């Protein structure tokens, strides 16, 4: 039985091209703990979720690239010999991936691609990574290019850097490609070694609360944070040349060499502490101590809000509202920040009531609608049967 979204996509494809395409799916992600650590070569703890991007694709006989977005009801046509950033924002995530294939000397041919999905845009659930990974995986299969999954994730990340201008880390693309049902991925962003850890929440669920604040400021501020971390590394590196990223730094080093610059100090302190918090939080999860993990999520939020300064009043409000609720073990803003979702560990039986209360309070205080999602943990990128 096909999901409504797949049915819509396949019939949409056939209306335009009258043929039967191949279908690929790549999911959005959550991250349990370890935020803004990936581009600092640290660890992250993400998982793929039950919201995904789908692409229906087929080879063409010529070198044209024909794209159609069901969501935006918009078409793009271009040629393989001149792949560049276009004025169609949605198409750039796909074109950015094609550019990476070409850069690496691979030769995909022309193709038709129709895209749709249910990952909410700008909600911090990595809709852009899902588009990039679905495209990378699909083209690799379609043209039998034989590229491994790690390289596909890296190419998708580069597409984001070069065609969307966000100098992101590897977390989102890696989680989308490598997700495993009911597991989180403990990923070392320096070596790309990873371990699957079972997510056993025993009567609790992951509740995402979308502030409906689109994180449009995020790209420029995101790149600034990355630069600030590099400044901190340079300050430490003068005394400890072996320190190449904040992953290598200790709090002693940060205290000794970075305190002279108050802003850079707060950024570095957050990252170094967050990396430790993640490693300990992952042990909590392995031991089944989700109370301890939840408490760390609140501390992560405080660090992101006050030290790293990537939160916003709506995110702070939502986390503040559940902090002393005995049915909520942990909550924090998730992803790049400046909007998007909070991630909450909530007792299953209390979710309905909590959502009802919070939605009313949120709309009164913030004059915006709150959108809840219960995240289930799913497999990463895959080919789907039609
Ligand atoms: C965004 C980025 F794309 C990720 O690489 C990561 O840095 C995240 O923000 C913050 O942890 O999702």
């Amino acid at each position: 039985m096909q999901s409504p979204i797949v049915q819509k996509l396949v019939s949409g494809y056939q209306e335009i091209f009258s043929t039967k395409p191949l279908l690929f799916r790549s999911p959005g992600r959550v991250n349990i703990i370890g935020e803004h650590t990936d581009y600092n070569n640290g660890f992250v703890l993400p998982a793929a979720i039950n919201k995904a991007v789908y692409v229906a694709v087929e080879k063409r006989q010529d070198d044209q690239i024909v794209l159609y977005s069901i969501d935006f009801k918009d078409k793009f046509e271009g040629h393989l010999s001149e792949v560049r950033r276009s004025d169609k924002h949605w198409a750039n995530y796909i074109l950015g991936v094609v550019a990476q294939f070409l850069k690496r000397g691979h030769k995909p041919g022309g193709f038709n691609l129709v895209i749709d999905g249910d990952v909410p845009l700008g909600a911090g659930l990595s809709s852009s990574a899902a588009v990039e990974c679905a495209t990378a995986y699909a083209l690799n299969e379609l043209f039998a290019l034989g590229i491994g999954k790690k390289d596909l994730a890296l190419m998708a990340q580069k597409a984001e850097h070069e065609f969307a201008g966000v100098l992101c880390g590897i977390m989102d693309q890696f989680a989308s490609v490598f997700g495993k049902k009911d597991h989180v991925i403990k990923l070392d962003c320096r070596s790309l070694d990873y371990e699957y850890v079972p997510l056993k929440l025993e009567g609790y669920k992951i509740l995402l609360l979308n502030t409906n604040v689109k994180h449009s400021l995020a790209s420029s501020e995101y790149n600034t944070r990355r630069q600030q971390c590099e400044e901190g590394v340079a300050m430490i590196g003068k005394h400890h040349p072996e320190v190449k990223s904040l992953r290598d730094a200790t709090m002693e080093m940060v205290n000794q060499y970075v305190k002279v610059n108050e802003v850079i100090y707060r950024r570095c302190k957050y990252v170094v502490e967050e990396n430790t918090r993640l490693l300990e939080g992952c042990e909590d999860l392995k031991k089944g101590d989700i109370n301890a993990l939840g408490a760390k999520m609140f501390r992560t939020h405080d660090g992101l809000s006050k030290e790293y300064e990537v939160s916003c009043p709506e995110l702070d409000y939502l986390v503040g509202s559940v902090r002393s609720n005995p049915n909520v073990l942990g909550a924090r803003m998730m992803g790049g920040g400046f909007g998007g979702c909070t991630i909450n560990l909530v007792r299953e039986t209390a979710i309905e009531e909590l959502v009802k209360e919070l939605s009313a309070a949120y709309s009164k205080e913030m004059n915006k609608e709150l959108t809840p999602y219960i995240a289930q943990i799913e497999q990463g990128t895959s080919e789907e049967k039609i």
Side-chain angles (χ1 to χ4, degrees):
M1 187 51 193
Q2 280 178 353
S3 69
I5 197 156
V6 168
Q7 280 172 21
K8 192 165 124 216
L9 179 60
V10 174
S11 63
Y13 188 96
Q14 284 167 345
E15 260 171 47
I16 307 172
F17 300 111
S18 329
T19 47
K20 197 173 164 202
L22 295 179
L23 179 68
F24 297 88
R25 163 199 149 272
S26 206
R29 62 100 189 92
V30 290
N31 184 27
I32 306 295
I33 195 163
E35 217 63 87
H36 288 274
T37 42
D38 59 353
Y39 55 83
N40 287 300
N41 272 344
F43 289 86
V44 287
L45 203 60
I49 58 170
N50 55 331
K51 291 203 169 286
V53 163
Y54 294 84
V55 294
V57 288
E58 201 178 12
K59 281 185 190 173
R60 291 177 61 93
Q61 299 308 318
D62 54 18
D63 281 347
Q64 286 291 112
I65 299 173
V66 181
L67 313 175
Y68 185 79
S69 161
I70 295 202
D71 208 9
F72 293 102
K73 299 186 180 55
D74 193 21
K75 193 172 187 184
F76 170 91
E77 287 194 58
H79 196 270
L80 210 50
S81 62
E82 35 190 51
V83 174
R84 61 174 81 95
R85 247 162 116 149
S86 76
D87 55 2
K88 294 187 192 286
H89 189 66
W90 64 269
N92 284 339
Y93 297 102
I94 300 166
L95 296 172
V97 171
V98 179
Q100 292 309 313
F101 279 97
L102 297 172
K103 257 191 164 176
R104 287 184 171 219
H106 297 291
K107 297 254 173 310
F111 62 94
N112 300 324
L113 183 152
V114 177
I115 186 162
D116 200 10
D118 61 358
V119 189
L121 305 182
L125 302 180
S126 296
S127 55
S128 58
V131 175
E132 291 148 3
C133 294
T135 306
Y137 197 95
L139 296 183
N140 189 38
E141 293 297 315
L142 198 62
F143 295 101
L145 298 172
I147 303 170
K149 281 179 16 172
K150 272 188 191 170
D151 279 323
L152 290 176
L154 287 166
M155 288 162 71
Q157 179 196 21
K158 274 268 173 237
E160 180 89 27
H161 287 191
E162 293 174 12
F163 274 58
V166 181
L167 299 175
C168 63
I170 189 64
M171 170 169 76
D172 300 353
Q173 291 79 6
F174 202 95
S176 190
V177 173
F178 283 88
K180 179 172 173 180
K181 192 168 175 53
D182 298 330
H183 287 72
V184 295
I185 310 168
K186 181 186 176 193
L187 171 66
D188 179 338
C189 298
R190 180 161 62 191
S191 63
L192 296 190
D193 288 341
Y194 64 100
E195 179 193 351
Y196 289 118
V197 180
L199 185 66
K200 292 209 197 92
L201 293 179
E202 316 293 354
Y204 286 79
K205 286 214 172 232
I206 295 177
L207 173 68
L208 302 173
L209 295 172
N210 189 351
T211 57
N212 286 308
V213 176
K214 297 259 188 280
H215 58 183
S216 49
L217 251 184
S219 49
S220 58
E221 281 299 320
Y222 184 93
N223 293 348
T224 305
R225 291 296 174 279
R226 190 170 177 149
Q227 205 187 326
Q228 289 168 333
C229 292
E230 282 162 13
E231 278 179 47
V233 171
M235 291 163 88
I236 299 170
K238 281 189 193 141
H239 308 272
H240 292 275
E242 73 284 5
V243 173
K244 302 281 184 242
S245 67
L246 287 180
R247 159 75 175 272
D248 308 318
T250 61
M251 262 325 288
E252 289 70 38
M253 293 174 185
V254 173
N255 283 331
Q256 200 169 352
Y257 304 117
V258 191
K259 257 205 169 137
V260 287
N261 184 325
E262 203 265 327
V263 172
I264 306 290
Y265 174 75
R266 277 189 286 128
R267 308 295 190 246
C268 294
K269 174 176 181 290
Y270 162 75
V271 171
V272 171
E273 288 181 351
E274 177 71 351
N275 212 35
T276 309
R277 205 157 30 225
L278 176 143
L279 294 173
E280 291 171 1
C282 194
E283 290 311 305
D284 295 339
L285 188 60
K286 287 181 183 170
K287 281 187 279 182
D289 189 354
I290 46 172
N291 276 288
L293 174 64
K296 290 185 177 69
M297 290 168 69
F298 282 121
R299 291 208 284 281
T300 292
H301 183 79
D302 295 338
L304 286 166
S305 178
K306 300 195 180 83
E307 295 172 340
Y308 215 64
E309 294 181 292
V310 290
S311 187
C312 65
E314 291 83 353
L315 288 164
D316 288 344
Y317 175 80
L318 288 178
V319 173
S321 308
V322 298
R323 204 179 274 269
S324 53
N325 186 324
N327 292 315
V328 182
L329 295 185
R332 62 178 194 83
M333 58 147 282
M334 189 180 72
F338 304 103
C341 290
T342 61
I343 175 170
N344 305 260
L345 292 186
V346 187
R347 191 189 302 277
E348 204 174 337
T349 50
I351 291 182
E352 207 181 312
E353 193 57 32
L354 178 75
V355 166
K356 208 166 121 199
E357 276 173 25
L358 266 183
S359 301
Y362 183 72
S363 91
K364 193 160 160 241
E365 287 297 319
M366 297 290 155
N367 208 15
K368 288 187 185 73
E369 199 191 325
L370 186 69
T371 314
Y373 318 104
I374 294 179
Q376 283 158 28
I377 306 306
E378 294 295 340
Q379 284 296 119
T381 319
S382 57
E383 182 170 357
E384 300 287 294
K385 286 208 184 73
I386 294 189

